[in-house]
Amino acid sequence: MRLIFPLLVWISFLILTGSSQGETKFKIDGKVLELDESNFESAISSFDLILVDFYAPWCGHCKRLAPQLDEAAPVLAGLKEPIVIAKVNADKYKRLANKYEIDAFPMLKIFMHGVPTEYYGPRKAELLIRYLKKFVAPNVAMLGSDAAVTEFVEEAGTFFPIFIGFGLDESIITNLAIKYKKKAWFAVAKDFSEDAMVLHDFDKVPAFIAIQPAYNEHNIFYGPFEEGFLEDFIKQNFLPLTVPINHDTLKLLKDDKRKIVLTLVEDDSDEKSQKLIKYLKAAASANRDLVFAYVGVKQWEEFADTFEVNKKEKLPKMVIWDGDVEYLTVIDSESIVDEEDHGSQISRFLEGYREGKTEQKRIAGPSFMGYINSLIGINTVYIIVFLVAMIMLIRSLGNEEPRRVSTQDQSDEATDVWRPLRDDEGEKED
């Protein structure tokens, strides 16, 4: 055993760091590239933009996604600025899966100049192509007419917020457009009529308009047009005024550092909840330093239960969530059951929070891996896990087939099982 332990440490080091690879040349031929641990790093450094599908051969969702990627690949490869699609068998190449935090299949990631970001867009070929074209579009589109503005909004689709400066100089927003290219569309309208002003509900220029096409929302900024104020406005409008909690919006919330005012209701689609959401939108407009979100127990019971919601709980209920494992209740104000007084109840809740009349709690079932990683780091975890596995393997004479963790079915694609958003391993990867 004295010789085995140093050997295992050395082997685990090689597995985690990987050996240096010679540069591999790739050609853009419209086919989906098959990558592995020998050529992955070379591939993502060879292309300005590459979409990578981390899949498992046994995953039914992965099998349904593959033809869509095959269909999109030649179209994207033929763009003036080509976009490459690649795939990795993450079930086989676990080092890559661990490095890029692949915990469900299929998982898509966009690599821009080698930097990864999770893909949140559609997975049907036609829509996927439209979504990805955004990443090679101009940083700021120049619009010269009302028709151009309308066409820009329509072509942008519903997956990103849209920011349009009316009567603004392009240079004012260029730096911010480059900085947030992955998250939003940016444009400047030079020539437009009063009809455009009426349509977008602003009455003077210059004006900077934020549009949330998926939620039919827009907000207007009249200045001051200094980068700091503009950036605050942009960041506040990446999300709608009230965010419905689901797997996709949780991923978006991960990047927002504001505290989350979370309202839990029985059913977020019923008439009572829709009336409440209107009050929440009004509160959100007046409290832009906070994110307002809501979730229905009927829509996602597993998530709601982590905030101590049970059959005896009086709903609606409000909490202040940090997006991770801790949340605050406001003493004597968390339940807002009086339908005739929702506005006042929400105001009292926010006043209590800002005055510090709160009680701190932890969600049920915190992230164990997040806790371990915060103490010793993700790579150390992998080394320990590998060493323990190797020692157990040496001690056992039988061959036991490894377990596979399946993912949940959600609509037409695989989704992550609910877990806290801001695990420390995610922060370190960034």
Side-chain angles (χ1 to χ4, degrees):
M1 286 297 290
R2 289 182 179 179
L3 292 176
I4 290 175
F5 186 80
L7 177 62
L8 292 176
V9 172
W10 176 246
I11 292 173
S12 64
F13 175 79
L14 290 178
I15 290 176
L16 291 169
T17 60
S19 57
S20 60
Q21 303 292 336
E23 187 174 347
T24 304
K25 292 185 178 180
F26 301 90
K27 63 178 180 179
I28 302 176
D29 58 3
K31 296 181 180 179
V32 176
L33 296 177
E34 183 79 44
L35 303 180
D36 55 36
E37 291 176 350
S38 70
N39 61 5
F40 185 87
E41 299 299 332
S42 178
I44 64 173
S45 63
S46 297
F47 302 108
D48 290 342
L49 196 151
I50 179 170
L51 176 71
V52 180
D53 170 28
F54 292 88
Y55 74 95
W58 45 265
C59 168
H61 298 291
C62 302
K63 294 175 183 177
R64 288 192 288 274
L65 175 62
Q68 301 298 324
L69 299 180
D70 290 337
E71 182 180 339
V75 178
L76 294 170
L79 297 176
K80 184 177 180 180
E81 295 184 45
I83 298 172
V84 176
I85 297 181
K87 59 183 178 182
V88 174
N89 183 343
D91 192 44
K92 180 178 181 180
Y93 300 108
K94 290 184 170 58
R95 184 181 71 84
L96 285 175
N98 290 333
K99 179 176 181 179
Y100 294 105
E101 300 178 1
I102 308 304
D103 54 9
F105 301 113
M107 182 170 285
L108 300 174
K109 286 185 180 283
I110 299 171
F111 289 81
M112 294 185 68
H113 303 287
V115 179
T117 184
E118 193 162 340
Y119 175 85
Y120 298 134
R123 301 189 178 192
K124 299 295 183 183
E126 181 181 354
L127 297 176
L128 183 145
I129 292 167
R130 185 174 178 179
Y131 183 99
L132 287 177
K133 282 183 177 179
K134 182 254 176 298
F135 290 87
V136 293
N139 296 323
V140 181
M142 304 304 297
L143 311 176
S145 66
D146 290 2
V149 173
T150 300
E151 183 180 357
F152 177 78
V153 173
E154 290 176 352
E155 285 296 315
T158 61
F159 303 105
F160 294 97
I162 302 166
F163 296 94
I164 305 176
F166 288 87
L168 279 181
D169 190 280
E170 176 189 2
S171 62
I172 293 176
I173 64 171
T174 295
N175 290 338
L176 294 171
I178 294 171
K179 183 175 182 179
Y180 296 112
K181 184 180 179 77
K182 297 178 182 178
K183 295 184 176 182
W185 291 95
F186 292 88
V188 166
K190 290 294 187 182
D191 295 310
F192 52 91
S193 69
E194 290 186 4
D195 290 339
M197 296 176 68
V198 172
L199 178 63
H200 294 285
D201 199 25
F202 64 98
D203 55 12
K204 62 181 180 178
V205 292
F208 192 52
I209 311 300
I211 303 172
Q212 279 283 352
Y215 299 92
N216 196 29
E217 290 182 7
H218 77 278
N219 287 294
I220 306 167
F221 181 73
Y222 289 117
F225 293 103
E226 299 172 11
E227 189 163 298
F229 293 106
L230 274 169
E231 184 167 19
D232 286 343
F233 177 78
I234 289 169
K235 289 164 66 176
Q236 290 170 359
N237 284 278
F238 282 142
L239 297 167
L241 284 172
T242 54
V243 184
I245 294 293
N246 54 50
H247 288 88
D248 291 333
T249 56
L250 277 183
K251 295 170 186 176
L252 295 175
L253 284 170
K254 181 178 181 180
D255 297 327
D256 198 306
K257 303 305 179 184
R258 291 175 290 174
K259 290 288 193 296
I260 301 164
V261 181
L262 177 63
T263 302
L264 302 107
V265 298
E266 288 285 356
D267 181 351
D268 65 23
S269 64
D270 65 22
E271 184 178 352
K272 292 180 181 179
S273 296
Q274 290 300 309
K275 289 181 180 179
L276 173 60
I277 290 168
K278 291 181 180 179
Y279 283 105
L280 292 174
K281 286 183 177 181
S285 295
N287 296 270
R288 298 312 295 260
D289 60 323
L290 300 168
V291 176
F292 283 70
Y294 61 91
V295 65
V297 176
K298 180 178 179 179
Q299 281 72 27
W300 198 355
E301 184 175 1
E302 180 188 13
F303 177 87
D305 283 348
T306 61
F307 295 91
E308 299 180 343
V309 172
N310 53 56
K311 293 181 179 179
K312 296 181 181 180
E313 188 81 27
K314 289 185 177 181
L315 297 178
K317 170 184 176 180
M318 297 181 74
V319 299
I320 303 288
W321 182 37
D322 70 351
D324 193 1
V325 296
E326 294 183 347
Y327 67 97
L328 300 173
T329 58
V330 176
I331 298 171
D332 297 328
S333 296
E334 66 176 28
S335 182
I336 51 171
V337 296
D338 186 352
E339 293 181 38
E340 304 301 321
D341 197 28
H342 275 159
S344 298
Q345 290 176 311
I346 293 170
S347 296
R348 284 196 295 271
F349 175 87
L350 293 172
E351 288 172 5
Y353 163 64
R354 296 193 186 281
E355 292 171 2
K357 299 176 181 178
T358 59
E359 180 180 352
Q360 184 167 307
K361 296 184 178 182
R362 291 179 68 86
I363 66 169
S367 168
F368 177 73
M369 282 300 292
Y371 173 71
I372 293 295
N373 292 338
S374 69
L375 296 177
I376 58 178
I378 189 67
N379 284 342
T380 310
V381 172
Y382 293 145
I383 291 173
I384 293 173
V385 171
F386 178 77
L387 291 177
V388 171
M390 289 298 294
I391 291 171
M392 292 177 65
L393 182 62
I394 291 171
R395 288 182 176 179
S396 66
L397 298 178
N399 292 322
E400 182 179 350
E401 185 177 350
R403 298 178 181 176
R404 286 174 172 171
V405 180
S406 61
T407 56
Q408 290 184 331
D409 287 351
Q410 181 95 359
S411 66
D412 66 341
E413 59 192 45
T415 57
D416 297 352
V417 174
W418 152 242
R419 63 172 186 169
L421 287 173
R422 295 176 186 142
D423 289 345
D424 290 343
E425 70 267 32
E427 296 294 334
K428 293 184 180 181
E429 184 62 44
D430 292 337

